[in-house]
Amino acid sequence: MLNDFYKQFKSGTDIRGVASEGIEGQSVNLTDDVVADMADGFVLWLSKKVSKKPSELKISVGRDSRISGPHIMKITTERFKRCGAEVLCCQLASTPSMFMTTVDLGCDGALQITASHHPFNRNGLKFFTREGGLEGSDIEEILLYAQNGEHPEESNGGNITDVDYMSDYAKGLCEKIKKEVNAEDYEHPLKGFKIVVDAGNGAGGFYADKVLSVLGADTTGSRYLEPDGMFPNHVPNPEAKEAMDSICEAVRESGADLGVIFDTDVDRGGAVDSKGNEINRNRLVAVAAAIALEGNDGGMIVTDSITSSGLKQFIENDLGGKHYRYRRGYKNVIDKALELNAQGINCPLAIETSGHAAMRENYFLDDGAYLCTKIIIKAAQMRKEGKELDELTASLKEPLESTEIRYKILEKDFRACGEKIIADLTKYAEEQEGWCVADDNREGIRVSFDRDNGDGWFLLRLSVHDPIMPLNVESDSEGGVKIICDKLGEFLKTTTGLDL
């Protein structure tokens, strides 16, 4: 069992901690020794996983733009070399590209040094094998090796080689666009398009220079392409309002046909159409679903739990697909899609409203650059037909009002407290007139209301990792969110353990 010190590093299917000073009250816990022990733990885990001696392993290492990235990369590559492994040092790279090194370069395992969209002082370790990202139980095993001071034997045969894999990865995206757009000018299928990129000073700047510009697109007006691990302009997170405001502004100022935005390590993406409409959250799911269901008639789209009612109607009524509303957590939706496909159910897409989108055609890898590539391909195909991208989701009904409230759980056993509140609320909801408990909900409790009672829905759930109960509320009528919140508030007043 993990002790409290090592338990703090487990963040779902990643390892994360404080890697540098700079924020008051946050001390560095991802120290050199801790990182070295975790690297050794990964070697032991990987050696067992692929049935090879540590000295026979081939491991790639990449990093996002965080200020602590180069130092952590030096520690981990040296530890891998120390056990005799062949180490490919990919330097600045996207998280999805690191998985692809297991496909294209035959690596047994890959490490991406990243903490996604979190503040500059944090960093972490994200691991892959050819089967994809690791499970939470795998991370726990790696941390146990570190906690117990277990290390692989030293060997003199290891080596570190610098590899520019990101250029090869970008070429792969270029070839995909050329083939699927199939323009008259085959080498420049995006000629005549103006597409701006906001990389938020993360690892996504390559997309403007090594993909779009190469294919003929005008990328003038792109923002924050240079890597800067202090993230001086805005948090690199497509879910953040300031980030989406930035790419919307870039599209308007430059008169672009399309804008794309990535998070720090490019496993998430978002977009903005020429009219300034955000292709984000529910609309991003709708666009991705429309693309994924082409050639997959009646296919199943797996999403997280907080998707809107209008999105479900769009997928099932307009696109003719099926909607499987699952739990929050990108790994949850991906694992569910893999499970459904294994059962023989045609499921081409797993996507979370945060922007994590994984397509079956791309190894169910959540890849923001791949998603944006598919959107750009679709925009180019539609232009050939004299259509605009926004026509793809013109019938999507979006809520008039929406909000999210995050209630802090005050009790030490926060999971038990949250589960009791959900159980009590479920019983309460079933007894209330006008409350309709969703029959397809698989996380927390989702309740719908008719036009006379708020004209919308709420979802109360327990956070995946934190002592938080997020409440999402949407309504199709003005003032509906308040009506629904007031109704729910009567119940919440009777609970204990929540900071209301």
Side-chain angles (χ1 to χ4, degrees):
M1 182 179 294
L2 291 176
N3 60 32
D4 288 343
F5 178 76
Y6 275 95
K7 194 182 293 182
Q8 70 180 322
F9 297 112
K10 186 175 182 293
S11 178
T13 55
D14 294 354
I15 289 171
R16 286 184 186 156
V18 178
S20 54
E21 303 284 356
I23 294 182
E24 189 175 348
Q26 296 188 20
S27 302
V28 172
N29 55 20
L30 212 55
T31 63
D32 292 4
D33 289 344
V34 167
V35 170
D37 288 346
M38 290 173 176
D40 283 358
F42 177 58
V43 169
L44 292 172
W45 177 88
L46 183 62
S47 175
K48 186 171 77 170
K49 172 74 175 176
V50 300
S51 300
K52 288 183 179 180
K53 296 176 182 177
S55 59
E56 297 171 340
L57 295 173
K58 184 176 181 181
I59 305 173
S60 61
V61 184
R63 63 174 177 84
D64 68 19
S65 61
R66 290 166 190 283
I67 57 173
S68 55
H71 183 65
I72 294 177
M73 173 172 273
K74 188 175 190 315
I75 294 169
T76 53
T77 53
E78 288 293 342
R79 296 305 288 196
F80 296 155
K81 176 188 174 184
R82 187 170 176 264
C83 72
E86 178 184 356
V87 187
L88 304 184
C89 190
C90 299
Q91 298 297 343
L92 186 72
S94 72
T95 291
S97 75
M98 294 313 298
F99 163 76
M100 290 302 296
T101 63
T102 70
V103 178
D104 294 339
L105 303 183
C107 293
D108 298 297
L111 162 62
Q112 172 73 344
I113 301 162
T114 181
S116 187
H117 61 280
H118 288 275
F120 73 91
N121 68 321
R122 296 183 67 80
N123 215 328
L125 310 178
K126 188 177 186 70
F127 303 106
F128 295 97
T129 67
R130 179 62 179 78
E131 295 175 6
L134 274 57
E135 299 293 338
S137 57
D138 301 322
I139 297 299
E140 189 161 335
E141 186 176 340
I142 289 168
L143 289 173
L144 275 171
Y145 283 130
Q147 174 181 300
N148 297 337
E150 297 183 54
H151 306 279
E153 288 185 15
E154 291 187 42
S155 172
N156 294 323
N159 62 81
I160 301 172
T161 306
D162 287 330
V163 176
D164 179 19
Y165 178 68
M166 279 304 293
S167 291
D168 293 337
Y169 170 82
K171 286 176 186 174
L173 296 177
C174 288
E175 291 305 314
K176 183 165 192 64
I177 294 173
K178 288 178 189 177
K179 182 179 178 182
E180 295 196 18
V181 174
N182 195 24
E184 194 170 320
D185 183 353
Y186 187 82
E187 294 297 319
H188 304 99
L190 300 182
K191 192 174 182 180
F193 272 91
K194 183 158 193 173
I195 306 173
V196 292
V197 178
D198 187 328
N201 302 113
F206 80 94
Y207 197 75
D209 302 329
K210 294 188 175 183
V211 179
L212 300 179
S213 295
V214 170
L215 298 179
D218 178 1
T219 61
T220 307
S222 291
R223 294 184 169 187
Y224 317 135
L225 303 181
E226 291 300 316
D228 184 336
M230 293 300 292
F231 311 122
N233 294 293
H234 63 71
V235 58
N237 179 6
E239 276 194 293
K241 184 180 185 301
E242 60 177 318
M244 289 309 297
D245 285 349
S246 175
I247 186 62
C248 286
E249 184 180 78
V251 168
R252 287 193 300 269
E253 286 186 356
S254 61
D257 299 298
L258 191 69
V260 296
I261 184 170
F262 302 115
D263 73 340
T264 320
D265 61 326
V266 205
D267 60 359
R268 290 188 293 146
V272 177
D273 68 25
S274 60
K275 295 181 176 66
N277 298 317
E278 292 185 13
I279 305 174
N280 204 24
R281 300 183 68 81
N282 283 297
R283 186 169 289 273
L284 182 68
V285 177
V287 169
I291 293 169
L293 287 172
E294 291 178 357
N296 287 295
D297 294 348
M300 183 80 75
I301 306 298
V302 179
T303 74
D304 60 336
S305 58
I306 66 170
T307 49
S308 71
S309 300
L311 178 67
K312 187 175 189 68
Q313 293 166 11
F314 177 75
I315 291 173
E316 299 193 339
N317 299 340
D318 296 43
L319 299 180
K322 298 182 180 71
H323 181 203
Y324 193 102
R325 191 183 279 128
Y326 198 49
R327 302 200 303 265
R328 285 285 277 177
Y330 72 92
K331 196 71 167 65
N332 288 330
V333 296
I334 290 172
D335 286 348
K336 177 53 68 174
L338 288 166
E339 178 188 320
L340 292 172
N341 277 289
Q343 294 170 6
I345 297 170
N346 178 16
C347 177
L349 173 68
I351 183 167
E352 195 184 33
T353 47
S354 64
H356 283 284
M359 305 187 83
R360 182 176 58 200
E361 67 180 51
N362 189 43
Y363 308 96
F364 272 118
L365 173 65
D366 51 320
D367 185 342
Y370 191 89
L371 174 65
C372 288
T373 294
K374 293 291 289 187
I375 292 172
I376 288 167
I377 289 168
K378 190 60 185 174
Q381 292 172 339
M382 292 182 74
R383 178 172 285 191
K384 280 185 183 179
E385 301 169 8
K387 297 178 181 177
E388 293 292 326
L389 186 64
D390 63 328
E391 296 178 49
L392 197 63
T393 54
S395 60
L396 174 66
K397 185 180 178 184
E398 299 195 72
L400 186 66
E401 299 179 340
S402 65
T403 191
E404 180 176 272
I405 303 169
R406 298 173 70 81
Y407 295 112
K408 188 175 182 181
I409 302 176
L410 303 174
E411 295 188 8
K412 185 174 181 181
D413 190 351
F414 69 87
R415 191 157 298 280
C417 176
E419 288 171 352
K420 182 179 187 306
I421 289 171
I422 289 169
D424 290 346
L425 177 55
T426 301
K427 184 177 179 181
Y428 177 87
E430 288 170 346
E431 296 170 351
Q432 303 307 303
E433 188 175 346
W435 293 44
C436 181
V437 179
D439 59 4
D440 69 336
N441 188 59
R442 299 172 178 89
E443 180 176 42
I445 174 172
R446 186 180 181 115
V447 177
S448 297
F449 300 86
D450 61 25
R451 292 182 67 87
D452 296 328
N453 290 283
D455 197 15
W457 56 271
F458 76 72
L459 172 72
L460 183 69
R461 62 185 177 88
L462 186 57
S463 172
V464 178
H465 308 302
D466 305 314
I468 298 287
M469 293 199 79
L471 170 68
N472 292 89
V473 188
E474 290 188 358
S475 174
D476 295 325
S477 297
E478 187 175 347
V481 163
K482 184 179 185 305
I483 292 171
I484 294 171
C485 285
D486 287 347
K487 289 177 180 294
L488 178 59
E490 291 301 311
F491 165 79
L492 293 178
K493 289 175 189 174
T494 69
T495 65
T496 57
L498 278 189
D499 183 0
L500 300 175

